[in-house]
Amino acid sequence: MPAKVGAVKIINISSSSIFNIGDVYSMSPRSTAKTYAGGGSFNTGNGIRISLNNSNTYVNDSDKIDQTIT
């Protein structure tokens, strides 16, 4: 069934988002990210104590490209 849409004002759309007006079968936003983090980097909660002494994160990425977006 066709969609009827009135006036639309777009303020901002980020680079990995989708804006659609009307009927759609499939939507597929595409974005890639690579994150390097050391031990204890993504811990969340109340009262967490982490003792890592000397923590280092070594990264060796020889291919440089993991996922291309076309």
Side-chain angles (χ1 to χ4, degrees):
M1 181 131 210
K4 294 183 181 180
V5 179
V8 176
K9 182 178 182 180
I10 301 170
I11 304 298
N12 187 15
I13 296 179
S14 67
S15 62
S16 63
S17 61
I18 293 178
F19 177 75
N20 178 59
I21 295 178
D23 299 334
V24 66
Y25 173 74
S26 176
M27 297 175 71
S28 178
R30 298 185 180 178
S31 175
T32 61
K34 186 184 293 189
T35 304
Y36 302 112
S41 296
F42 298 112
N43 292 328
T44 58
N46 296 327
I48 293 177
R49 289 187 181 187
I50 300 170
S51 178
L52 297 173
N53 296 331
N54 190 4
S55 176
N56 296 317
T57 301
Y58 299 105
V59 178
N60 183 14
D61 189 8
S62 60
D63 63 352
K64 306 287 189 242
I65 299 173
D66 293 326
Q67 181 176 359
T68 58
I69 297 177
T70 57

